[in-house]
Amino acid sequence: MLKLIKLELERNNLKSYIIGGCLITLSILGLVYLFAAIPHIDPSDPDVGIFLTYNGISALALIILAACFTILASVMYNKLVIAEYTSKKIYLLFSYPIKKERILAAKLITVFAFTVISAIISGIVIFSVFFLSEGLFQLCEDTLTIQVILRVAILLLLSAVISAALATISLWFGYWKKSATVTMVVGVIIASVFGSIASEIFLAQGRMQLVFVSIITIVTVFLAIFLIMRVSKQIKNTDV
Amino acid sequence: MPSELAIQTHGLYKSFGTKEVLHNCSLSVKQGEIYGFLGVNGAGKTTMFKLLTGLLTPTAGTIQILGEDITTQRESILKRMGSLIEVPVFYEHLSARKNLEIHLSYMGMENNFSKIDETLDKVGLKGAGTQPVSEYSLGMKQRLAIARAMIHKPTLLILDEPMNGLDPVGIHEIRELFRSLVQEFHVTILFSSHILSEVEQIAETIGIISNGRIVNQISLHDLKKDPSFNLEEYFISVTDRGC
Ligand SMILES: Nc1ncnc2c1ncn2[C@@H]1O[C@H](COP(=O)(O)OP(=O)(O)OP(=O)(O)O)[C@@H](O)[C@H]1O
Ligand SMILES: [Mg+2]
C-alpha cells in the first residue's frame, strides 16, 4: 500500500495543493489578527466579547480553517479520484495487475492524509505565530495558559479530520454526477453549511465544546466511511 | 497447465442495456501467433478487447486467457499481458521515461527500469524520453503506448489499432518489432487494424467480426495459397454476408 501511495504522489503533482494550503494559512493568520484587533478598533460594540478571548478567536479560526481545507480536499478528490475514474484514464488504472480496491484505497488515503497533515501544519503555523506575538504584544484580554493551548491543539486535530471527512460528500456527489463542477460546488456548499452550524458548536462553553466537536468528528468520519464504501463498490463494478 | 491457446472465448455475449454488441463470440488465438482482428467501424472490436483485458464484464460466456479465467484471475493475467485500448492515455505532464517507470512500478517490475532506453529506441523514440508526453505528437504517443505495452515483458499483447497515426517508417518499424517479439520471446499478439495491407503482411491468422458476430477465423497463409486472393475483396464479401 505504501508503494501505491508513493506512486500516487509521484504522478500527481501536489505542488498546487501545497501552495493552496499556504494561501489558506496566510489568509487565516490575517483574519486572526483582524479578529483580535476589532475590540481595539471599536470597543463600544457589545458583540466584541468573543474577540477578546483566545477560545473565541481560535474557535472562529478553526471553523474557517476546516471549511477551507474541506474545499481543498474536494479539489483533490476530484483530481485524484473522480477525474481518473470517469475519464479514459480508467483504462490505464485498470490495466495494472493490482486489485481495483487497493488502487482506490491508495488514492483516498493520499487525499485524507494530505488534508489532515496540511491542515494541522497550517493550524500550528497560525497559532504559533499568533500566540508568540501575543507574548510580545498582547491583543486579547485573556491569559494564555497551557490549558488554552492544549484545547486549541485538540480542536485543531479534530478540525483537520473533519475537513478530510466532510469532503467525501463532494467526492460522492462528484462521482455520481461524473462532474468536476458538481464536486467543487458541493465542496463550497458543505464548507458554508458546516461553517454556520459549527459556529454554534465550536463556541460552546467549557467542557461541552470538546464533547460537541468530538461528536461531529465521529459523525463525519462514519459518514465518510459509508460514502467511501459506496463509491468503492461502484468503481469496482464499473464497465468502461 | 497453460493450454495451447493464448486466448479462448466461449459463447461470449455483451450487451449495453438492451443493445447487444457481441453475440455468441468464440475467439481462439494460438500461442505465439500474430492474429489480426478485422471489422468495420462499430463492429465490436474494441468491445471484444475490453472484455479480454477485464475492463468489461461479459453478459454471458467465458474468457480464458493464458489458461486462466479473466474474471477470477484478473491480476495474474494482467501481469503477463500488455495492452493498448482505443486512444493511448498517459500522465501528460510527466516525461515518457517517468511514465514508463510508473508503469513498471505498478507492474511490479522495477528491475526493468534499465530497459527503458532500449525500449524507447525500439519504437523509434530515441532521445525523446525526457520530453513531457503533452509535447508528443499523435504518432509519438502511439509509439510510446506500444513501448509501454511491451516493456514489462508480457507474453500476450492485445493492441487496439496500434498502427493508428503512425508514419510509413513507424509502421515498418512496428512490424519488425512484432516479428522479433514473436520470434525471440514467443509473444502472442492480437491486434485490430483497418489497414488491410498491413494485416496482410504481418498477421498469420485473421478473425473477422461483423455486427457483433465473429463471422470468420482463418489462417491467412491458407488463404494466400490462392494466387488471386485479395484481402480487401475477401473482407468486403465476408462482412456483407454478415449483415
Ligand atoms: N459503453 C457503451 N455503451 C453503449 N454502447 C456501446 C458502448 N461501447 C460500445 N458501444 C457500441 O458497441 C458497438 C461496438 O463498438 P466498438 O467500439 O466495439 O466498435 P469497434 O469495432 O471498435 O469500432 P471502430 O472500428 O470504430 O473502433 C458500437 O455500436 C457502439 O455504439
Ligand atoms: Mg475500436
Side-chain angles (χ1 to χ4, degrees), chain A:
Chain A
M1 189 50 80
L2 269 179
K3 180 181 147 191
L4 291 180
I5 294 172
K6 195 175 136 266
L7 285 169
E8 288 296 331
L9 294 175
E10 250 176 72
R11 63 200 176 76
N12 288 293
N13 199 348
L14 292 191
K15 217 162 100 196
S16 50
Y17 304 104
I18 294 173
I19 295 173
C22 292
L23 289 177
I24 293 174
T25 310
L26 283 177
S27 322
I28 296 179
L29 194 57
L31 280 176
V32 166
Y33 279 105
L34 187 67
F35 292 156
I38 287 174
H40 301 274
I41 298 166
D42 182 7
S44 59
D45 190 328
D47 290 332
V48 297
I50 158 179
F51 298 126
L52 289 169
T53 65
Y54 289 118
N55 195 23
I57 290 186
S58 60
L60 286 178
L62 284 170
I63 292 166
I64 299 169
L65 183 118
C68 290
F69 276 96
T70 302
I71 296 174
L72 191 73
S74 302
V75 175
M76 267 184 103
Y77 278 128
N78 179 63
K79 169 87 190 304
L80 267 76
V81 182
I82 299 168
E84 296 218 340
Y85 287 105
T86 59
S87 72
K88 295 216 186 280
K89 281 231 173 85
I90 195 170
Y91 297 156
L92 201 52
L93 287 181
F94 283 2
S95 72
Y96 304 137
I98 297 165
K99 286 211 183 319
K100 295 175 183 177
E101 306 88 301
R102 276 171 60 84
I103 295 187
L104 177 65
K107 287 171 176 296
L108 297 172
I109 292 172
T110 305
V111 180
F112 213 96
F114 180 87
T115 309
V116 171
I117 293 171
S118 54
I120 289 176
I121 293 176
S122 172
I124 289 176
V125 170
I126 293 167
F127 291 111
S128 307
V129 171
F130 180 60
F131 290 158
L132 282 178
S133 86
E134 281 294 283
L136 300 173
F137 179 82
Q138 193 158 7
L139 290 167
C140 284
E141 288 182 354
D142 260 7
T143 37
L144 189 57
T145 59
I146 279 293
Q147 274 92 329
V148 170
I149 294 176
L150 211 61
R151 176 184 288 258
V152 169
I154 295 169
L155 286 176
L156 172 62
L157 184 72
L158 296 177
S159 312
V161 173
I162 290 174
S163 317
L166 272 183
T168 56
I169 301 177
S170 356
L171 166 72
W172 184 79
F173 267 103
Y175 182 73
W176 173 43
K177 287 290 170 199
K178 311 234 175 301
S179 151
T181 320
V182 167
T183 320
M184 307 303 169
V185 171
V186 172
V188 172
I189 294 175
I190 293 164
S192 21
V193 171
F194 167 77
S196 47
I197 296 176
S199 56
E200 297 298 325
I201 295 161
F202 275 67
L203 288 170
Q205 291 304 309
R207 190 167 284 154
M208 287 322 279
Q209 183 193 34
L210 284 181
V211 174
F212 284 157
V213 176
S214 305
I215 291 173
I216 322 188
T217 311
I218 292 167
V219 170
T220 51
V221 165
F222 272 104
L223 179 71
I225 293 171
F226 173 74
L227 292 176
I228 283 172
M229 271 162 46
R230 299 204 57 140
V231 170
S232 168
K233 198 168 155 209
Q234 282 162 6
I235 285 179
K236 192 173 166 234
N237 296 328
T238 17
D239 252 2
V240 282

Side-chain angles (χ1 to χ4, degrees), chain B residues 23 25 53 74 82 86 120 124 137 159 182-184 203 229 236 238:
Chain B
H23 181 91
C25 287
T53 50
R74 176 179 171 271
E86 279 188 344
L120 284 173
S137 72
L159 306 168
V182 171
Q183 272 158 21
E184 285 172 45
F229 173 75
I236 291 171
V238 170

